[in-house]
Amino acid sequence: MRQRHRAVNTNSNISEEEQNKHSKSLFFSSEKRIFGICLAIRIVNALLIQTYFNPDEHWQTLEVAHRIVFGYGHLTWEWKKGIRSYLHPMLFALLYKILVFLHLDTPFFMIKAPRLLQSLFSAVGDLYLYKFSRVLFGDHVAKWALFSQLANWFMFFCFNRTFSNSLETVLTLVGLYYWPTLRVSSSKFPSVSRKLGLALAALACAIRPTSAITVLVLGLTCLLDRLMYGSWVLVPLNFLKFNFLSSGGDYYGTHKWHWYFTQGFTVMVFTFLPFSIAGIIKSKHWKLSGLIAWVLGLYSVLGHKEFRFVLPVLPIALMFSGYSLAVMEKADYLENKRKGSLNTRSKWLSKTRFAIFFLLVTNIPMALYMSLVHQRGTEDVMNYLSKEALNEKVKSILFLMPCHSTPYYSALHRNLPMRFLDCSPREEKGILDESDRFMKDPVAFTSEITKNGSLPSHVVLFGSEEILLRDLLKSYSFREIRRFFHAHFKVDRDLQASVVVYALTSK
């Protein structure tokens, strides 16, 4: 408890004049206003996201929801093995039901509405980061924590996507706010809030079982107090077996054990990193900084690593950045007051203003480039095909590209025959899946599958493979009809600069 009081007292030394000025701020005048502004920002954020990041955004959420509501949609192998929960997709199934009821299940709304719904959840997460920061460190730190969250490039890029990790992050923030042991006096905190914190932890685990890594440190205290659940909340056996006991996730690629520390999480925090480290040191709140280290360390044990896996602890790191900025602003204020120079020019030239400028000028371009430019071709092609299908110009589609490279039925929203290259994990080692066979020899693989079935009306492929398959496609009477920009640089394969659409013509 001594460490907690030291952090609060450090913040409380801010002058009464500055506190009054802050309390009169229009932005922070009420929690409703804060939520409203955060929601407006997240809605714009959602509309600006026009790129493809990870297949799970579509294939493990929207595709499943689309199948529930409309009766068609592809279920990946995880659903057949019982590794995924239907809880998260059901949220978007409800959204689809509402769109149908309002006769708004058009290509535009089917594509935009899910991220707009997620923007509502994201705004709740923003609000609770502010509230959590305020109960820990006070109003002054809370406003800077919220600034850090809204300005961070990765939160802008990822938080509004329909990953289970995004909702998991929101539930983590709400759960942390209601967790009593992180407050000044947990004994005075109502037991109902402890129960709510545990319920949110359980819900996060139900949505994504790996969130138990986050809540374990905080949840162990429930064993010492009393059993709050009517039944145990356990990580599903199949999920444990595949991802932890058998390292099944390694099938989709592995990274070095230190990847989260040296690349993954540091890239997510980006230029906020030095401020976050400074905030951890100055605040001396070792429980939360330890939680970040715990999550990163435990996920580092797994071979398969992804940025989004550690998204739930990114806001905590950004809260520490807010603490550092609050201390910096206080130091600037006291220095200017000592010198008697509180004019506008002296304020603008302060270290705080320079830090704000530095953070914005580094994060905003990154956020916009990743959300509007990098890897947008696979989203653009499905937007195009959905409109063509609506006009009955598409009969069937073959995707000659690595598996799950594009959205699927949830974006097309037409029950047409489609085929993508399968990449389900193989029981037998050494046997290549369809996706790997295609990438190894595109011409031979395409020749094989076209001989064994009818030709599709449209073929979608990356430009790098289109060069190799151009002559073969023309020999089957296909012609290029559209080409979409995709990326300026490669990510995990050869440069996939463009996405090309070929259509079958009459001979």
Side-chain angles (χ1 to χ4, degrees), residues 397-457:
I397 307 172
L398 170 63
F399 295 88
L400 290 176
M401 51 203 338
C403 62
H404 309 136
S405 291
T406 70
Y408 213 50
Y409 281 110
S410 61
L412 188 74
H413 194 46
R414 284 293 178 275
N415 193 8
L416 302 174
M418 295 200 293
R419 180 183 175 183
F420 68 95
L421 306 185
D422 181 63
C423 60
S424 302
R426 304 290 174 174
E427 297 292 339
E428 308 85 2
K429 294 183 179 180
I431 299 179
L432 297 178
D433 57 41
E434 287 187 338
S435 184
D436 288 334
R437 286 166 54 201
F438 171 75
M439 296 303 295
K440 184 177 181 180
D441 192 342
V443 175
F445 181 85
T446 304
S447 299
E448 178 184 342
I449 64 172
T450 52
K451 290 178 181 178
N452 300 329
S454 60
L455 295 175
S457 68

Side-chain angles (χ1 to χ4, degrees), residues 7 19 29 50 86 103 107-108 198 200 296 311 315 390 400 402 428 431 490:
Q19 294 279 15
S29 59
Q50 300 174 27
Y86 277 92
H103 302 288
F108 177 83
L198 282 171
L200 289 166
L296 297 183
L311 181 64
L390 182 64
L400 290 176
E428 308 85 2
I431 299 179
K490 66 179 182 179

Side-chain angles (χ1 to χ4, degrees), residues 400 402 438-439 442 461-470 496:
L400 290 176
F438 171 75
M439 296 303 295
L461 66 170
F462 285 116
S464 53
E465 282 70 52
E466 184 267 339
I467 296 174
L468 303 175
L469 292 172
R470 185 178 299 162
Q496 298 164 338

